[in-house]
Amino acid sequence: MALSGMRGLSVFISDIRNCQNKEQERLRVDKELGNVRTRFKNEKGLTPYEKKKYVWKMLYIHMLGYDVDFGHMETVSLISAPKYPEKQVGYIVTACLLNENHDFLRLAINTVRNDIIGRNETFQCLALTMVGNIGGREFAESLAPDVQKLLISSSCRPLVRKKAALCLLRLYRKNPDVVNVDGWADRMAQLLDERDLGVLTSSMSLLVALVSNHHEAYWSCLPKCVKTLERLARNQDIPQEYTYYGIPSPWLQVKTMRALQYFPTIEDPNTRRSLFEVLQRILMGTDVVKNVNKNNASHAVLFEALSLVMHLDAEKEMMSQCVALLGKFIAVREPNIRYLGLENMTRMLMVTDVQDIIKRHQAQIITSLKDPDISIRRRALDLLYGMCDVSNAKDIVEELLQYLSSSDFAMREELALKAAILAEKFAPDLSWYVDVILQLIDKAGDFVSDDIWFRVVQFVTNNEDLQPYAAAKAREYLDKPAIHETMVKVSAYLLGEYSHFLARRPGCSPKEIFSIIHEKLPTVSMSTIPILLSTYAKILMHTQPPEPELQNQICTIFQKYESCIDVEIQQRAVEYFALSAKGAALADILAEMPKFPERQSALIKKAEDIETDTAEQSAIKLRAQQQMSTALVVTDQRPANGTPPVGQLSLVKLPSMSSNPDNYSADEGVKQENGILSIVDPEPPSADLLSDLLGPLAIEGPPGAVQSEQNVPGIDGVPSAADAAAIVPIEEQKNTVQPLINIAERFHALCLKDSGVLYEDPNIQIGIKAEWRAHQGRLVLFLGNKNTSPLVSVQALILPPSHFKMELSSVPETIPPRAQVQCPLEVVNVRPSRDVAVLDFSYKFGSHAVNIKLCLPAVINKFLQPLTLTADEFFAQWRSLTGPPLKLQEVVRGVRPLPLLEMANLLNSLRVMVCPGLDPNPNNLVASTTFYSESTRAMLCLARIETDPADRTQLRMTVASGDPALAFELKEYIKEQLVDIPTSSAPPPMAPAAASPMAPVAPLNDPGAMLAGLL
Amino acid sequence: MIHFVLLISRQGKVRLTKWYSPYSQKERTKVIREISGLMLHRGPKLCNFVEWGGLKVVYKRYASLYFCMCIDPEDNELETLEVIHHFVEILDRYFGSVCELDLIFNFHKAYYILDELVIAGEIQESSKKTVARLISAQDSLVEAAKEEASSISNIIAQATK
């Protein structure tokens, strides 16, 4: 084989190779760059051959990692050379040196276009390749139609067409808005009949890109894909050169199955059957063979088949075959297969309910956690994290803890965080949780972020039973010779608050506690000293009767730090010293920390941020990122959550403030207490660092669940049915004055927005403006007299359903001419229900008495706060809610056909927030929201709607929430919104409550049983 | 899709880079440094996949040379691994038992071949025979142009004699 054929280039490469060190190499490169630069300057004397040679040199230097900031123009200009050798070099080097948005590329567009539409097929190939590799927006704008023509041209040879297919793929992928693919479904279907496998492979890649955007348009391609797959799998009519180690083009097989994964389902039973036959054959017929490449290729196909089966949600039997295969794979020695086995098992957790079968492999997965390969360890960790639930949390977390001490640094932080999250989520009892976190801190203190220990403090504070235990544990750790500073912090805090529970144990007298903590003081950093000072003050306060010796010791320390350079320390020292002189009053001031408001763990939020990019980050960088992520959480938490957290916080503090209103000094003390306490430990109580509770806390169980459970059958059930019946007869009103608007339509519109006209007739207009805050609402009714004479005998009565507390301010009896009066109405939502409040409104105009009954748009969705969840949060919650009555599913028929996007908009306008991209199937919508009522408080609700693209009038809906009544009511409500057509005038506005197809004769007392009856 | 292809020697020298996603010069240098660090330090008998910055690196070592392709995390890893092998086999057939030295001095040929195999980060041709045929056709085009050029320069030389 001839060498490069360019002597100058070979010499240069040899020179570089002979350089002894980097410095020499740089000198040689600089010399060459100088040479090329001068040659390019007087371009006239340059032969095409020389130009070509220099351009290659530039690419070589670029590849070595040096900046080549000149000569791009010369490179691009080679593209317009008339002869093949120069043109080729021009195209290839341009594609390597320049990015899609480089200015010089613009200069070449014309030449490139001429080459593409020209007759020279080799030039066409060069141009298509370059555009395919770096084509940007401008290329898409000016070239896409020409490329499309080439792809479907019957006169072009396969070598041009396959490049055209990928070139088009690039342009479409980068700028789908520019490339017009209307009507391409038929062309793609034709392309799939292509005999040349090169063209077919490229076209299949193009199809994958097209269907991933808009699968609806490409239904006609589906059977062709299945046919192609059959042909390949049966090895029918495949040219020898397209088999790879005896396997008919594994790449084409993989791509075809990938394309099929973008179609939500397969309707046609014959196509479905053929596909399942092929898949069955692949699943069962793939053996492990000796040849590495054959093995890889066949398993590439097998793993793709596995994902396709998972996607199609196949029959149970096939699913269990898949799990069995994966179980086999995670036990093999071959690392690639084991890696992929673990990875696909994790994916499987996301898609289906196979957790129990996967749990059987737990021991095997734990072995992989100790594999020498970090890639495999990561997969094993992810899988263990994903499969963890209450039943196996203890084993898994303990395994993670054990592994923590021997694991490498790259993984420790992730491990520590995951262990902490699992311990929190699935703790069988709280003392175990405390054990785990303390062990974590002990074993990997450097990798335990502050949030982890804040969280444990929060739990201990909120659970009185736990306090003596936690204090005892903290005391034990202090006996260890060398402990991590975080351990000093957490144990000092716990002992400061709760060591008095231990006073009778040996070694736990206040004095002993003090001295063992004080021993650590010289070893800790400035940030820990304030915590220690607070602890001393608390110990002092708890020591009853006071011990003068201890008091002296501690006061000496306070005095010592009164001149500390650190402001925080100094302030505490001064204040505590002053307080310690107050004797008994100290106890009032330094009382125990109040309970923290319940919050959702900030850790879980963080986990996702980290998961995305843990690969090669240092712990420090990671921490910085975490801090940023907390900041983000805070900012978007506020608007989503509204005011309740602030209210809760102020509730905690207010009583202590107001309890001493007339005692000036004590009042001051209280103020100080608040001030100091928030300094003592600013993080845990403040809403800033730990985000607030949105859903039920894993450990505590859903708050108020018991109450609402009781509410369902008795109070909520029967009366609501009765209420509904009472509201019905709106059409029966015999008013002589006819409304000017469609009442039902207005009501529906106002369900989705907060202000507008509720009712209007020739005499009066009733407008409404509403504000909603968590479980409370304030509506203002605007009663406007349209006439020039007064309306008299005005009466407004509210008929509230049982789940609302409503209060309407007084309504004047007379509305003056052309005047508007405002009547505020307060609403408190007690529990979830779809029943609607009715406004019974009457007035007299002249001799006509008018009476109207209007539904008020205080409906269930007004008490929702939209909430966007990440995939992990969503699926964790989704899985934890299993089956009725917490998770209800129903197939709904007769749905008003809506495009998916509109349906998503509808849900969003109901404040049920669609979380795009969570569901792998693009035809499905998953959504999340928080519901507020007095009984449920803030309660997370999740919904999933699976649509059928072939039949838009039916769908399957699943609604889950921690409260059974809520799940049922919300499901019904969403269903009504999807089934009901707001524009139709036929159904009366209260149809949702009364005439819904779902409201049966039977009492609504058991949603679960009702649902069963319906199914 | 394949975001980029790197050929890196055991000593960390870069033998070929091809970017299908836009990376600035600075980013390219950083990517190469990070990936070399990851890949070259992995022992034998480990799996051929490394997770890196939200993407996945599929690599394989052939003698002193590491071939590596970076793909999206949901892409098929084994398929990519065999794209690498397919590329190596084609190089081997073209150069006749290829070695690192061939690729050093004929790096431009490696680019020609890669362009016939992958466009836009997707495989375009899975037949070795077809790729070989196209590459030799290109070679002969270049040869023909060279001969033509020399014959023209002969004519000119003779005419001006």
Side-chain angles (χ1 to χ4, degrees), chain A residues 199-269:
Chain A
V199 179
L200 188 56
T201 307
S202 302
S203 304
M204 200 57 88
S205 295
L206 176 59
L207 181 68
V208 171
L210 291 170
V211 290
S212 70
N213 259 13
H214 282 296
H215 65 86
E216 293 96 343
Y218 296 90
W219 280 104
S220 53
C221 297
L222 198 154
K224 304 231 172 178
C225 288
V226 175
K227 211 170 249 170
T228 307
L229 198 59
E230 266 188 299
R231 180 180 149 202
L232 288 163
R234 297 224 169 101
N235 202 353
Q236 285 167 337
D237 185 23
I238 307 292
Q240 178 60 37
E241 56 180 298
Y242 282 96
T243 54
Y244 180 81
Y245 289 88
I247 299 162
S249 181
W251 296 285
L252 183 52
Q253 291 196 49
V254 167
K255 281 190 197 313
T256 312
M257 286 191 272
R258 186 49 66 100
L260 285 169
Q261 285 169 55
Y262 287 102
F263 294 101
T265 48
I266 295 176
E267 294 293 315
D268 179 49

Side-chain angles (χ1 to χ4, degrees), chain B residues 2-154:
Chain B
I2 301 168
H3 292 278
F4 51 81
V5 178
L6 302 177
L7 266 62
I8 298 175
S9 79
R10 208 166 37 145
Q11 289 80 31
K13 298 250 188 254
V14 182
R15 299 303 180 207
L16 181 143
T17 60
K18 182 87 184 171
W19 310 83
Y20 298 103
S21 291
Y23 288 84
S24 70
Q25 173 69 44
K26 235 189 189 157
E27 288 165 336
R28 290 181 183 187
T29 319
K30 185 167 163 263
V31 168
I32 293 171
R33 198 179 50 234
E34 286 185 18
I35 299 226
S36 319
L38 264 185
M39 199 168 57
L40 303 183
H41 290 110
R42 280 175 66 84
K45 292 188 181 168
L46 301 185
C47 73
N48 295 93
F49 321 124
V50 192
E51 286 150 38
W52 169 80
L55 298 174
K56 220 167 242 185
V57 173
V58 177
Y59 74 95
K60 189 159 181 180
R61 181 177 164 178
Y62 292 88
S64 55
L65 206 54
Y66 285 82
F67 285 68
C68 126
M69 293 187 176
C70 181
I71 55 173
D72 286 317
E74 65 276 4
D75 284 345
N76 190 313
E77 295 90 346
L78 287 175
E79 178 206 25
T80 313
L81 191 58
E82 290 318 287
V83 175
I84 291 178
H85 188 71
H86 190 51
F87 181 38
V88 173
E89 283 188 340
I90 293 171
L91 289 172
D92 197 54
R93 185 183 282 206
Y94 182 79
F95 287 103
S97 103
V98 68
C99 64
E100 192 184 339
L101 217 54
D102 289 326
L103 297 181
I104 293 172
F105 284 99
N106 295 286
F107 69 100
H108 53 306
K109 300 271 186 192
Y111 277 105
Y112 294 149
I113 293 171
L114 185 59
D115 267 358
E116 284 303 326
L117 191 67
V118 177
I119 292 182
E122 304 285 349
I123 187 163
Q124 65 153 324
E125 184 53 76
S126 58
S127 153
K128 287 192 268 286
K129 217 156 117 191
T130 309
V131 175
R133 204 173 55 230
L134 292 173
I135 294 292
S136 75
Q138 284 177 12
D139 281 350
S140 50
L141 270 175
V142 176
E143 280 305 309
K146 209 193 269 174
E147 272 164 29
E148 194 188 332
S150 57
S151 67
I152 289 174
S153 58
N154 281 344

